Amino acid sequence: PSGNEPSGNEPFSAPTLLLSAAEADTLRDNLMQSPRFQRSLAATEKKVIAYFRNPPDVPQPTDPGGGYTHEQHKRNGVAIHDAGILYQITGNEEHAHRAVALLKAYADLYPGLGPHPQQKKQAPGRLFWQSLNEAVWLTYAVQGAAAVWPRLSRAERKHLESGLLRPMAEFLSSGQPRTFDKIHNHGTWAAAAVGMTGYLLGDKAYVEKALYGLKRDGSAGFLKQLDRLFSPDGYYTEGPYYQRYALMPVILFAAAIHNNEPERAIFQYRDQIILKAVRSCVDLSYNGLFFPINDAIKSKGLDTVELRYGIAAAYRLTGDAGLLSIAQNQSAAVLTRAGFETARAIDQGLARPYPFQSRVLRDGPSGKQGALVVMRDGSEIGHQALVFKATAQGMGHGHFDKLNWLFYDNGHEIITDYGAARFLNVPQKNGGRYLPENQSWAKQTAAHNTLVVDQRSHFDGKRTKADAAHPHLTFWEQNERIHIAAATMTDAYPGLQFQRTLAQIKGPGAGPPMVVDLLKVTAKGPHQYDLPLHFAGRLIASTPRLVSETNQLHPLGQSAGYQHLWRRAQAKTREGRSFSVTWLHGSRFYTYTTLAERDDTLLLAELGAQDPDFNLRPQQALILRTAPNRGNHTFVSVLEPHGATSAAEETTVGTQGRLRSLSRITRGDLDLIQLASHDGTLWYLAVSHDARADQRHQISHDDTTFTWQGFYGLFNHQGETL
Amino acid sequence: PSGNEPSGNEPFSAPTLLLSAAEADTLRDNLMQSPRFQRSLAATEKKVIAYFRNPPDVPQPTDPGGGYTHEQHKRNGVAIHDAGILYQITGNEEHAHRAVALLKAYADLYPGLGPHPQQKKQAPGRLFWQSLNEAVWLTYAVQGAAAVWPRLSRAERKHLESGLLRPMAEFLSSGQPRTFDKIHNHGTWAAAAVGMTGYLLGDKAYVEKALYGLKRDGSAGFLKQLDRLFSPDGYYTEGPYYQRYALMPVILFAAAIHNNEPERAIFQYRDQIILKAVRSCVDLSYNGLFFPINDAIKSKGLDTVELRYGIAAAYRLTGDAGLLSIAQNQSAAVLTRAGFETARAIDQGLARPYPFQSRVLRDGPSGKQGALVVMRDGSEIGHQALVFKATAQGMGHGHFDKLNWLFYDNGHEIITDYGAARFLNVPQKNGGRYLPENQSWAKQTAAHNTLVVDQRSHFDGKRTKADAAHPHLTFWEQNERIHIAAATMTDAYPGLQFQRTLAQIKGPGAGPPMVVDLLKVTAKGPHQYDLPLHFAGRLIASTPRLVSETNQLHPLGQSAGYQHLWRRAQAKTREGRSFSVTWLHGSRFYTYTTLAERDDTLLLAELGAQDPDFNLRPQQALILRTAPNRGNHTFVSVLEPHGATSAAEETTVGTQGRLRSLSRITRGDLDLIQLASHDGTLWYLAVSHDARADQRHQISHDDTTFTWQGFYGLFNHQGETL
Ligand SMILES: [Zn+2]
Ligand SMILES: [Zn+2]
């Protein structure tokens, strides 16, 4: 049965969503086995008791995101969930009363609501300004309802069903067909809410719509989402910030499907795609925080409610002890059977370090739309990590940063991405939504560490054009000496192609790996090329000296993000010479050396111009800029971490980098990068830009011949392969 | 016997400095009682073994602070100490060989050295650019020498004595009489080095010079330093950053005195002044870091080698379990008996939270040169703390910031002090010494949160004038409702007096305390008054709206620090209206409301102008500025922390402050501050500015009469005392 009338049959008198009655009994009996789980249970109980000290307000919806009614309804949804689950686990009747009272209040309120007064261009909700929040609300509340369902009278069930559950599920499905059938996390949330409501009410039509789309034909719905949202490697095209968010309804709904219809083997679906998506979230993090690519709030990471559910589910499925160390750093356990088993395993000392390693995450449903490459040197806290973003655009939240890179070291983000310009949930800041500067700055190419041509963004900052193109990962290899990846991009600018090779090399000389960056542009010109490098830290020295603007600042440009950059300093150098800049961040020094192909300019820019509402964070960038008359051009740069300083111990060592000089020798399409260190070691990285493994290449320099096969060769000064 | 000839007698064949042979034996026998101590011992042993893997370089001194020879000699001095102490505790002969080999190398090198080639205006050393480092070096090395002394032959002792210990001790004492007899931490280090050498060599003359000065008459020396360096409350006039530094030789030398001549009762001296100085270091910290007043590196705090020795010594003397929680957050235990006892007590679970509380620390040797007032609301991590700096100038490292204040909350510095402009030990940054911007910015009044008159610093930034004056603390009281302090300053500007009252008030309305700031200027004028507020966080909103400079930035002035401030935005308001600015820092919001007495201007400034070498950190300040025609003037401001935001939990509450309006009513010298909160509560703070407890005062407003006795009264809207 479907529609607005309560169903007559009651097949699920003790319905199960994430936690069955039997499981709850087992948890209750075994609580003593996990102090960690007990702490989370106690913390939730304390929070719920405080919340229900007075009957919670169920206000008429009026406010936008971050406003009172918005936050209050969000809180109420979570409170229904928490009180219900607490009742299930503890058996305390008071918790059941709490959940039921709130559910009834919503069943009274909801039928009278029209579209939310604060609706924007997003699909509007009734309780909330956007229906997305409404789907999230129902996903939580329906779990609370399921928990108390066995103790409700028939009349009470009917009240909730006809006043709240069905109207809301209808509104989220047939009430907004475009959103419900969209392959997008808004659609996944709607599917989860409607499908879980279906399991509660025993309404197969809801479940089938959730799984297969409104038409129930598989053209949309949850399974289609699992097919399309993630790449075969479990990468979500919007990037990890939204991957985390997209995972939540996936994990919750999958758990409900698993518990109700295990024969669907949902966690095996598409070669365990859900598990892959959880793991790739972890692999897309450093020091607990996600790589902030595309629209991303930078403080988000592995200690979020989504990953608490995700890691617990993945641990329960796999028993992988590496996942426990991730869960161990989360501030709470989730109140499910998976959460209990994870917490107990941690309490038993079973956690092992998560084996972070270098990997390629292909993008696109078939894995053919570029890739994100993560190179790591070690896996311990403070290891060096390089992120090479050669992915597709990532839909509406994508940034125009083809072949961008990020760099982490010593626990810090060193070469940075601005992330999103947004104060999440702060009403005074555009209602908590994305700020205008997200478009004018954060998405623009100049806000990233990649090629900008003629001070215009990739695809001129137009999403429709960007959606139609993607980079190609042309090469990837890792071994003990070197991790190296290369990608090309052809349609970011008309008639122009650029390719980038990024390598993490252990040498020359002792110390942490150096990063070599080789970026080649092929075009007719005339063009001006900018290569920005956004770095975190305090400038220590530069060669040649940067000449500062000390008495006035002006923006670097008028558009494409340049209007937000103050021109702070500049330096010029001659062909074949290099710029070298050293900065200090955390307890370590970093030196960036970049070769001037002709008479180039190095600019230092500070973020903050054209920012009337103080929406932008302070940030700085070096920009290597060519004259405006270039066609083909090659950028060669090296980044090296070095030395250490400790204020507490008053010790400082290694304030100078190892690299003495950097140069490039060419022959046709071949490049030979010479790295000379202060200790006299001379290394050469040769790049053919030709991934065919059987092709031999040769280049000579200073009476030495360097011969290699395939994409690259790494040599000592005698031309011997390293 | 004194002079350069080795002494014939050998009264201390097993000399004791910090650790006696018997104590070392006891530690060795009881190591198992303290895993924490064992870890520090093992870490030191590992470091020493790595350091001596090849014979350490003992280079000809050539480099300034942070340079290779400077750092290498520092490392060698510590290595002599560490190897010696390890030998004492472990009995491992190899450690003794290591210490002796290095000592001999120095005994060969030292006699041939002249003044250091990198000497500046500071007293030069021979191994180092300044003799201070030399005294520190000897203080460490002499402990290593004492540890191995019993196993040296007579000839070896003579070699070290005549080649190193006596020449260095002579150089540090009679070789630089002005520094040795100076009441300053440079003098204390010299005294410690010379006195400890005296104990080692059995040379009473060295000990007496160290204790009583070169003339041995008590006009200088260690005891005079203890009399003069600290106030009766244990406050060191330069502030906690240098207090920590000054404490190190005090603690080390006192321990040596205690072990050699317990009858001197050095730890009882001047009513336990050493212990008071250690405790006040702790009281001058927040979240483990020192209040960064005067020339201070902001990353310094309680986890420093100085405080490791200091806390251990204080715990051994007092058995105070609160000190153990401080030691518990230090990353290592010191290798002394005190260090062992402290570590063992922590291992035994005896640590208790340190009872942080509000207190007044008087400044000056007699406690009559102003005071530093610390107000705390609670003592747990994240408690609110207010620092009111009404101290004397603090000698050459003092800043021109009379009646400045700082504010901490939720684990962060919210109202900030820039600290020092210095990259400690980084050679590229002025050799690791103070930067020019320390003088041009960090010391200037505009870099602080206090009154600036006519854009000139207090005392026009001249130390000699500043040394001659100090504020007077006129009132201080704390109770459950309010912590309140007041101070006056008369000579910072000719013909002008200003007084400030700072109060932490619990109310009106629920929530954390509000800070009320009442600053009154008495002068003939015409003057322009600036009240800067340096705050950490991101601007959320302001009323009236701040109008931004979006297309160009210019400095706010030409001198006194203003040349370093970009004028970023401004707002104007009318008499009796207030400015209100809200920002977000960490997970909490802060709203600063300040009343415009007449038509005043609010400026927003950003630090960074006139900074050719990128020496300044990004920082921002609000500046409330009057028209340039004022005589008497009163500033009234309120700061309130409110709300919370969590990106991980996606929750945000309380983004608006509680204060609805702020106003001031006057009658003669009396001030009545009205605080109206959004929840309708109306509170009044009445201030007589008259500390006499028996004086009655009265002021009326809106048909209500407020009557109080003494300095202040706190009332509800009916005029009833709270
Ligand atoms: Zn971005
Ligand atoms: Zn200062």
Side-chain angles (χ1 to χ4, degrees):
Chain A
S2 177
N4 273 313
E5 281 306 293
S7 58
N9 58 344
E10 293 169 20
F12 295 97
S13 62
T16 295
L17 292 180
L18 267 70
L19 185 65
S20 72
E23 284 174 338
D25 292 344
T26 308
L27 295 199
R28 185 166 55 249
D29 293 344
N30 294 289
L31 275 182
M32 299 304 291
Q33 294 175 11
S34 178
R36 184 179 173 86
F37 187 83
Q38 283 179 290
R39 281 196 299 275
S40 292
L41 189 71
T44 305
E45 193 151 24
K46 186 176 167 192
K47 199 179 78 176
V48 164
I49 288 169
Y51 192 77
F52 286 91
R53 192 154 289 142
N54 299 308
D57 186 20
V58 180
Q60 199 68 21
T62 54
D63 297 340
Y68 171 72
T69 70
H70 179 92
E71 293 299 323
Q72 181 62 17
H73 287 305
K74 273 171 66 181
R75 283 189 289 264
N76 283 345
V78 173
I80 292 168
H81 169 273
D82 290 353
I85 301 301
L86 283 176
Y87 164 68
Q88 264 194 305
I89 298 177
T90 67
N92 182 338
E93 292 275 329
E94 281 185 70
H95 292 312
H97 292 311
R98 290 171 176 132
V100 172
L102 257 189
L103 282 164
K104 286 181 178 171
Y106 278 95
D108 293 337
L109 172 74
Y110 199 76
L113 297 180
H116 194 281
Q118 293 286 342
Q119 65 182 87
K120 308 276 163 182
K121 64 179 181 184
Q122 283 88 344
R126 291 179 177 180
L127 285 175
F128 299 97
W129 68 280
Q130 59 174 349
S131 71
L132 170 62
N133 295 101
E134 204 123 324
V136 175
W137 189 94
L138 181 55
T139 305
Y140 277 98
V142 74
Q143 292 181 63
V148 297
W149 208 251
R151 60 186 316 290
L152 295 182
S153 70
R154 193 185 165 95
E156 285 174 319
R157 291 183 194 178
K158 184 169 171 178
H159 178 204
L160 298 189
E161 188 173 345
S162 62
L164 177 66
L165 300 172
R166 286 194 182 272
M168 206 178 240
E170 294 292 333
F171 171 71
L172 290 171
S173 53
S174 51
Q176 51 164 12
R178 275 196 57 220
T179 298
F180 188 77
D181 278 354
K182 202 174 174 184
I183 306 302
H184 185 279
N185 73 61
H186 292 208
T188 318
W189 276 107
V194 172
M196 288 166 81
T197 304
Y199 283 127
L200 169 63
L201 300 179
D203 187 330
K204 285 215 164 109
Y206 281 174
V207 174
E208 289 188 356
K209 283 180 189 173
L211 287 170
Y212 303 115
L214 279 179
K215 292 189 209 141
R216 297 153 82 164
D217 63 356
S219 62
F222 190 63
L223 298 179
K224 192 76 180 176
Q225 310 245 11
L226 291 182
D227 290 339
R228 304 290 303 171
L229 283 181
F230 301 100
S231 83
D233 295 322
Y235 180 77
Y236 180 72
T237 194
E238 291 187 310
Y241 175 77
Y242 277 104
Q243 173 149 354
R244 159 202 63 83
Y245 194 67
L247 259 181
M248 185 69 169
V250 169
I251 295 286
L252 297 180
F253 191 29
I257 297 168
H258 177 78
N259 289 343
N260 284 279
E261 304 183 82
E263 63 278 12
R264 290 192 186 270
I266 190 69
F267 284 111
Q268 298 304 318
Y269 189 77
R270 202 185 163 204
D271 198 14
Q272 300 194 327
I273 191 66
I274 296 173
L275 190 58
K276 284 181 179 170
V278 171
R279 276 197 175 277
S280 72
C281 264
V282 179
D283 289 335
L284 293 169
S285 73
Y286 182 88
N287 205 12
L289 298 181
F290 294 128
F291 302 142
I293 55 175
N294 298 327
D295 283 347
I297 306 281
K298 297 186 79 163
S299 51
K300 283 275 187 187
L302 302 178
D303 185 17
T304 43
V305 63
E306 296 90 352
L307 267 294
R308 287 178 210 145
Y309 278 100
I311 297 292
Y315 176 72
R316 186 180 166 199
L317 286 165
T318 64
D320 178 347
L323 293 168
L324 295 177
S325 66
I326 304 297
Q328 199 163 24
N329 286 320
Q330 294 171 339
S331 48
V334 290
L335 302 181
T336 63
R337 176 173 156 190
F340 176 77
E341 290 177 2
T342 304
R344 183 174 57 182
I346 293 168
D347 285 329
Q348 289 169 345
L350 301 180
R352 295 291 170 268
Y354 185 86
F356 286 104
Q357 52 193 0
S358 298
R359 65 175 294 203
V360 170
L361 291 142
R362 289 169 293 167
D363 194 4
S366 312
K368 292 179 180 167
Q369 297 178 16
L372 191 92
V373 184
V374 184
M375 308 186 204
R376 299 189 190 258
D377 178 55
S379 63
E380 73 291 351
I381 292 172
H383 72 265
Q384 190 187 100
L386 190 162
V387 181
F388 186 14
K389 184 173 185 266
T391 60
Q393 182 65 15
M395 306 195 284
H397 290 299
H399 286 193
F400 298 93
D401 61 344
K402 298 298 140 197
L403 311 194
N404 185 30
W405 70 296
L406 305 179
F407 182 74
Y408 294 84
D409 185 53
N410 197 26
H412 300 284
E413 189 185 3
I414 305 300
I415 305 300
T416 67
D417 191 307
Y418 189 86
R422 181 180 190 186
F423 287 83
L424 193 65
N425 292 334
V426 177
Q428 298 100 321
K429 290 290 193 182
N430 198 26
R433 296 182 293 275
Y434 287 98
L435 296 163
E437 290 75 12
N438 196 57
Q439 182 65 39
S440 65
W441 165 252
K443 285 192 168 183
Q444 300 297 322
T445 309
H448 299 86
N449 310 298
T450 189
L451 178 74
V452 188
V453 178
D454 300 327
Q455 300 192 39
R456 306 177 78 110
S457 285
H458 298 172
F459 310 103
D460 251 336
K462 299 207 163 54
R463 184 192 154 187
T464 44
K465 287 205 275 176
D467 280 346
H470 59 79
H472 292 273
L473 185 70
T474 53
F475 185 73
W476 158 243
E477 187 176 306
Q478 57 168 313
N479 59 50
E480 293 224 330
R481 287 269 189 225
I482 187 170
H483 292 192
I484 182 168
T488 60
M489 185 68 211
T490 49
D491 298 310
Y493 296 100
L496 183 145
Q497 191 247 32
F498 66 105
Q499 50 183 291
R500 191 169 212 167
T501 303
L502 281 163
Q504 220 179 4
I505 301 181
K506 284 195 186 159
M514 294 185 183
V515 175
V516 179
D517 173 22
L518 178 62
L519 193 152
K520 293 179 84 75
V521 191
T522 310
K524 284 244 164 68
H527 291 300
Q528 183 192 60
Y529 299 129
D530 280 357
L531 185 60
L533 186 84
H534 299 266
F535 67 99
R538 297 190 63 194
L539 266 178
I540 295 297
S542 67
T543 311
R545 187 167 178 274
L546 281 158
V547 180
S548 287
E549 301 291 341
T550 59
N551 212 36
Q552 54 181 335
L553 291 183
H554 292 284
L556 262 176
Q558 297 303 317
S559 58
Y562 286 90
Q563 74 275 27
H564 292 299
L565 292 170
W566 299 114
R567 184 190 192 100
R568 176 64 171 80
Q570 57 193 322
K572 288 193 174 293
T573 197
R574 289 202 308 281
E575 184 174 339
R577 306 289 290 269
S578 57
F579 296 101
S580 170
V581 178
T582 298
W583 67 87
L584 170 65
H585 192 58
S587 59
R588 199 166 286 175
F589 297 88
Y590 299 87
T591 294
Y592 180 69
T593 305
T594 183
L595 193 61
E597 182 166 87
R598 287 192 253 165
D599 294 358
D600 296 331
T601 304
L602 186 71
L603 299 167
L604 179 69
E606 287 179 359
L607 188 60
Q610 300 289 1
D611 180 21
D613 297 318
F614 316 98
N615 285 341
L616 295 170
R617 287 194 308 272
Q619 190 176 295
Q620 61 202 343
L622 294 165
I623 302 177
L624 184 64
R625 170 169 287 183
T626 70
N629 59 358
R630 300 298 159 82
N632 293 347
H633 186 84
T634 300
F635 291 97
V636 185
S637 318
V638 171
L639 176 69
E640 45 167 336
H642 54 92
T645 184
S646 162
E649 307 297 338
E650 296 209 354
T651 56
T652 300
V653 294
T655 63
Q656 305 275 359
R658 279 176 286 153
L659 201 66
R660 185 171 49 77
S661 76
L662 172 66
S663 39
R664 181 174 73 99
I665 300 98
T666 57
R667 204 197 102 209
D669 289 339
L670 307 181
D671 285 304
L672 182 69
I673 314 296
Q674 186 197 63
L675 305 166
S677 80
H678 283 293
D679 71 2
T681 320
L682 209 56
W683 278 23
Y684 292 87
L685 175 65
V687 183
S688 67
H689 306 287
D690 179 349
R692 289 172 298 172
D694 57 346
Q695 296 293 302
R696 291 183 63 82
H697 309 280
Q698 184 173 308
I699 189 168
S700 292
H701 172 64
D702 274 356
D703 301 332
T704 307
T705 299
F706 302 87
T707 307
W708 74 99
Q709 205 165 320
F711 192 86
Y712 80 98
L714 189 64
F715 305 95
N716 68 13
H717 72 287
Q718 296 168 305
E720 296 162 348
T721 296
L722 291 164
Chain B
S2 177
N4 273 312
E5 282 306 294
S7 58
N9 57 346
E10 292 169 20
F12 294 97
S13 62
T16 294
L17 292 179
L18 267 70
L19 186 65
S20 73
E23 284 174 337
D25 293 343
T26 308
L27 294 199
R28 188 166 51 249
D29 295 343
N30 294 290
L31 276 181
M32 298 306 291
Q33 294 175 11
S34 177
R36 183 179 174 87
F37 187 83
Q38 284 177 288
R39 280 196 299 274
S40 292
L41 190 70
T44 306
E45 194 152 23
K46 185 176 168 193
K47 198 178 77 175
V48 164
I49 289 169
Y51 192 76
F52 285 92
R53 191 155 290 141
N54 299 310
D57 187 19
V58 180
Q60 200 67 22
T62 53
D63 298 340
Y68 171 73
T69 72
H70 179 93
E71 293 298 324
Q72 180 62 16
H73 288 305
K74 273 172 64 182
R75 283 189 288 265
N76 283 343
V78 172
I80 292 168
H81 169 273
D82 289 353
I85 302 302
L86 283 176
Y87 165 68
Q88 264 194 305
I89 297 178
T90 67
N92 182 338
E93 292 275 326
E94 281 184 71
H95 291 313
H97 293 311
R98 291 172 175 134
V100 172
L102 258 189
L103 283 163
K104 286 182 178 172
Y106 277 96
D108 293 337
L109 173 75
Y110 197 76
L113 298 179
H116 193 280
Q118 294 284 344
Q119 65 182 85
K120 308 276 163 186
K121 65 180 181 185
Q122 282 89 342
R126 291 178 178 182
L127 286 177
F128 299 97
W129 69 279
Q130 60 173 349
S131 71
L132 169 62
N133 294 102
E134 204 122 327
V136 174
W137 188 95
L138 182 54
T139 305
Y140 277 97
V142 75
Q143 292 181 63
V148 297
W149 208 250
R151 60 186 316 289
L152 296 182
S153 71
R154 193 185 166 94
E156 285 175 319
R157 291 183 193 177
K158 185 169 171 178
H159 177 206
L160 298 188
E161 188 172 347
S162 61
L164 178 64
L165 299 171
R166 285 194 183 272
M168 206 178 241
E170 293 293 333
F171 170 72
L172 291 171
S173 53
S174 50
Q176 52 163 11
R178 276 196 57 219
T179 299
F180 189 79
D181 279 354
K182 202 172 174 183
I183 306 301
H184 186 277
N185 73 61
H186 292 207
T188 317
W189 276 106
V194 172
M196 288 165 82
T197 305
Y199 283 126
L200 169 62
L201 300 179
D203 187 330
K204 286 216 163 105
Y206 280 174
V207 174
E208 289 188 353
K209 283 179 189 173
L211 288 169
Y212 303 116
L214 279 178
K215 292 190 209 141
R216 297 154 79 165
D217 63 355
S219 62
F222 189 64
L223 297 179
K224 193 75 180 176
Q225 309 244 14
L226 291 183
D227 290 341
R228 304 289 302 172
L229 283 181
F230 301 101
S231 84
D233 296 322
Y235 180 77
Y236 180 72
T237 192
E238 291 186 311
Y241 175 78
Y242 277 103
Q243 173 150 354
R244 159 201 63 84
Y245 195 67
L247 258 181
M248 184 71 168
V250 169
I251 295 286
L252 297 180
F253 191 28
I257 297 168
H258 177 77
N259 289 344
N260 283 279
E261 304 183 82
E263 63 278 12
R264 289 194 187 271
I266 191 68
F267 284 111
Q268 298 304 318
Y269 188 78
R270 203 187 162 202
D271 199 15
Q272 300 192 329
I273 191 67
I274 296 174
L275 190 59
K276 285 181 178 168
V278 171
R279 274 196 176 279
S280 72
C281 264
V282 179
D283 289 335
L284 293 168
S285 73
Y286 182 88
N287 203 12
L289 298 181
F290 293 129
F291 302 143
I293 56 175
N294 297 328
D295 283 348
I297 307 280
K298 298 185 80 162
S299 51
K300 284 275 187 185
L302 302 177
D303 184 17
T304 44
V305 63
E306 297 88 352
L307 267 294
R308 287 177 209 147
Y309 277 101
I311 297 293
Y315 175 70
R316 186 180 164 198
L317 286 164
T318 64
D320 179 347
L323 294 169
L324 295 177
S325 65
I326 305 297
Q328 199 163 25
N329 287 321
Q330 294 171 339
S331 48
V334 290
L335 303 182
T336 63
R337 177 174 154 188
F340 176 78
E341 290 176 1
T342 305
R344 185 175 55 185
I346 293 168
D347 286 328
Q348 290 168 345
L350 300 179
R352 294 291 170 269
Y354 185 87
F356 287 103
Q357 53 193 358
S358 298
R359 66 175 294 204
V360 171
L361 291 142
R362 289 169 293 167
D363 194 3
S366 312
K368 292 179 179 167
Q369 298 178 16
L372 191 92
V373 184
V374 184
M375 308 186 204
R376 298 188 191 259
D377 176 55
S379 65
E380 74 292 349
I381 291 171
H383 72 265
Q384 190 188 100
L386 189 162
V387 181
F388 186 14
K389 185 174 184 262
T391 61
Q393 182 65 16
M395 307 196 285
H397 290 299
H399 286 193
F400 299 93
D401 62 344
K402 299 297 140 198
L403 311 194
N404 185 28
W405 70 296
L406 304 179
F407 182 74
Y408 294 84
D409 184 53
N410 196 27
H412 301 284
E413 190 186 2
I414 304 298
I415 305 301
T416 69
D417 191 307
Y418 188 85
R422 183 182 189 185
F423 287 82
L424 193 66
N425 291 333
V426 177
Q428 296 101 319
K429 288 291 192 183
N430 198 26
R433 296 182 294 274
Y434 287 99
L435 295 163
E437 290 76 12
N438 196 57
Q439 183 63 40
S440 64
W441 166 252
K443 285 191 169 185
Q444 301 297 323
T445 308
H448 298 86
N449 312 299
T450 188
L451 178 74
V452 189
V453 178
D454 300 327
Q455 300 192 38
R456 305 176 78 109
S457 284
H458 298 172
F459 311 104
D460 251 336
K462 299 208 162 55
R463 184 192 154 187
T464 44
K465 287 205 275 177
D467 281 345
H470 59 78
H472 292 272
L473 186 71
T474 53
F475 186 73
W476 159 243
E477 187 176 305
Q478 57 168 315
N479 59 49
E480 293 222 332
R481 285 267 191 229
I482 186 169
H483 291 193
I484 181 167
T488 60
M489 186 69 211
T490 49
D491 298 310
Y493 296 100
L496 182 145
Q497 193 247 30
F498 66 105
Q499 52 183 290
R500 190 169 212 166
T501 303
L502 281 163
Q504 219 179 3
I505 301 181
K506 284 195 188 161
M514 293 185 183
V515 175
V516 178
D517 173 22
L518 177 62
L519 193 151
K520 294 180 82 77
V521 192
T522 311
K524 284 246 165 67
H527 291 301
Q528 182 192 61
Y529 299 128
D530 280 357
L531 186 60
L533 185 85
H534 300 265
F535 66 100
R538 298 189 62 193
L539 266 178
I540 296 296
S542 66
T543 311
R545 187 166 178 272
L546 280 157
V547 179
S548 287
E549 301 289 342
T550 58
N551 211 36
Q552 54 181 334
L553 291 184
H554 292 284
L556 262 176
Q558 297 303 315
S559 58
Y562 286 91
Q563 73 275 26
H564 292 299
L565 291 171
W566 300 115
R567 184 191 192 102
R568 176 65 170 82
Q570 57 193 322
K572 288 193 174 294
T573 197
R574 289 202 310 281
E575 183 173 342
R577 306 291 289 270
S578 57
F579 295 101
S580 171
V581 178
T582 297
W583 66 88
L584 169 65
H585 192 57
S587 60
R588 199 165 285 174
F589 297 87
Y590 299 87
T591 294
Y592 179 70
T593 305
T594 184
L595 193 60
E597 182 165 85
R598 285 193 254 163
D599 293 357
D600 296 332
T601 305
L602 186 71
L603 299 166
L604 179 69
E606 287 180 357
L607 188 60
Q610 300 290 359
D611 181 20
D613 297 318
F614 316 99
N615 285 340
L616 295 170
R617 286 195 307 272
Q619 191 176 296
Q620 61 203 343
L622 294 165
I623 302 176
L624 184 63
R625 171 169 286 182
T626 71
N629 59 357
R630 301 296 159 83
N632 294 347
H633 186 85
T634 300
F635 291 97
V636 185
S637 318
V638 171
L639 176 69
E640 46 166 335
H642 54 91
T645 182
S646 162
E649 307 297 338
E650 295 208 355
T651 56
T652 300
V653 295
T655 63
Q656 306 273 359
R658 277 176 288 154
L659 200 66
R660 185 170 50 76
S661 76
L662 172 66
S663 39
R664 182 173 73 99
I665 300 96
T666 57
R667 204 197 102 211
D669 290 337
L670 307 180
D671 286 304
L672 183 68
I673 314 297
Q674 186 197 63
L675 305 167
S677 79
H678 283 293
D679 71 1
T681 319
L682 210 55
W683 278 24
Y684 292 87
L685 175 65
V687 183
S688 68
H689 305 286
D690 179 349
R692 292 172 298 174
D694 57 346
Q695 296 294 303
R696 290 184 64 83
H697 310 280
Q698 185 175 309
I699 190 168
S700 293
H701 172 65
D702 273 357
D703 300 332
T704 306
T705 299
F706 302 88
T707 307
W708 73 100
Q709 206 164 319
F711 192 86
Y712 80 98
L714 188 63
F715 305 95
N716 66 14
H717 73 285
Q718 295 169 304
E720 296 162 346
T721 295
L722 291 164

